Amino acid sequence: TPEEFMSLDNSTFASKETLDNVFDNPILNNKLFPTSETSNNWNRTLSLELFHKDGTTIPVESVLSAMKNRNGEVTGLLGTTRDISLRRAVEEELLAEQRHTQDRIEVVQKQQNAIMRIALHPSVTGGDLEKACKVATETIAQTIGLERVSIWMLNQEHTEMRCVDLYLKESHTHEVEDMLTASDFPNY
């Protein structure tokens, strides 16, 4: 109730950060609470954190305006305060989405750079298939963070798959695996 609120000590309704940054800061107080010389059309909007009587913290926005007597002297402040919890939650969600989007952009850029390194490598442009496969498997393993990357080729009849290159990142080695036949592995 308003009566309960008016009877509270500042520290029981406002966070320490709010008290330190607003009420206990003399520089801000001179700007926040106007004198009659500086108070023409004076108003301020503050973002604060207040405590609910159940102990939870509530982000609020307060809009304050100077109240004056007939002589133009400031006699008090008139203000409204509203709960901005939902707005803060939405802002935090948007920031999280922006960070996620930025992370995805960086991953895509890293992958595009890897594709360009492979495509422009002299072994690819020069037609050295064995070396080009080694460059591709290493680059893919490093870019995506995989331990094993291999390239397989089908024969013209599509009855056999032959491993052209298998790269093992931990040992930084290249191997060639056996051929797989359609008769041995019909599900392939």
Side-chain angles (χ1 to χ4, degrees):
T1 66
E3 293 78 22
E4 289 176 314
F5 183 77
M6 295 304 290
S7 69
L8 295 176
D9 177 74
N10 286 347
S11 64
T12 60
F13 71 85
S15 71
K16 180 173 177 10
E17 183 179 84
T18 293
L19 294 174
D20 289 347
N21 290 333
V22 178
F23 298 109
D24 295 334
N25 183 328
I27 295 169
L28 257 177
N29 276 334
N30 289 338
K31 292 178 183 175
L32 180 64
F33 301 109
T35 62
S36 57
E37 299 87 43
T38 63
S39 61
N40 290 340
N41 300 319
W42 181 93
N43 62 43
R44 297 288 185 271
T45 301
L46 304 172
S47 291
L48 310 170
E49 289 190 354
L50 302 182
F51 295 133
H52 189 276
K53 62 183 173 182
D54 69 5
T56 58
T57 303
I58 304 168
V60 298
E61 181 177 79
S62 294
V63 179
L64 305 174
S65 298
M67 293 174 36
K68 300 178 192 177
N69 63 18
R70 289 187 177 117
N71 298 327
E73 299 168 326
V74 176
T75 58
L77 296 174
L78 176 64
T80 59
T81 299
R82 65 185 176 128
D83 182 340
I84 58 170
S85 299
L86 181 59
R87 182 176 84 190
R88 285 269 175 93
V90 169
E91 287 170 351
E92 288 172 13
E93 189 176 314
L94 286 172
L95 284 174
E97 286 178 20
Q98 287 174 341
R99 284 190 296 271
H100 176 73
T101 299
Q102 185 60 41
D103 291 346
R104 291 297 307 144
I105 289 170
E106 289 171 11
V107 166
V108 168
Q109 288 173 337
K110 187 177 176 183
Q111 291 171 350
Q112 287 175 335
N113 290 338
I115 290 168
M116 289 301 294
R117 281 195 313 274
I118 294 168
L120 298 175
H121 193 275
S123 63
V124 173
T125 58
D128 183 349
L129 180 63
E130 184 179 333
K131 178 66 177 162
C133 287
K134 289 180 179 183
V135 167
T137 55
E138 284 185 37
T139 303
I140 292 166
Q142 292 165 359
T143 302
I144 300 177
L146 299 174
E147 175 54 35
R148 295 171 54 102
V149 177
S150 58
I151 296 176
W152 295 74
M153 294 189 148
L154 283 172
N155 65 3
Q156 287 185 341
E157 296 80 28
H158 295 209
T159 58
E160 297 175 340
M161 283 184 16
R162 180 177 57 91
C163 178
V164 179
D165 185 61
L166 166 64
Y167 176 68
L168 304 170
K169 189 166 92 173
E170 186 175 323
S171 62
H172 191 66
T173 57
H174 293 268
E175 297 177 7
V176 176
E177 295 220 338
D178 292 334
M179 190 174 299
L180 303 177
T181 63
S183 60
D184 291 337
F185 300 94
N187 291 334
Y188 277 111

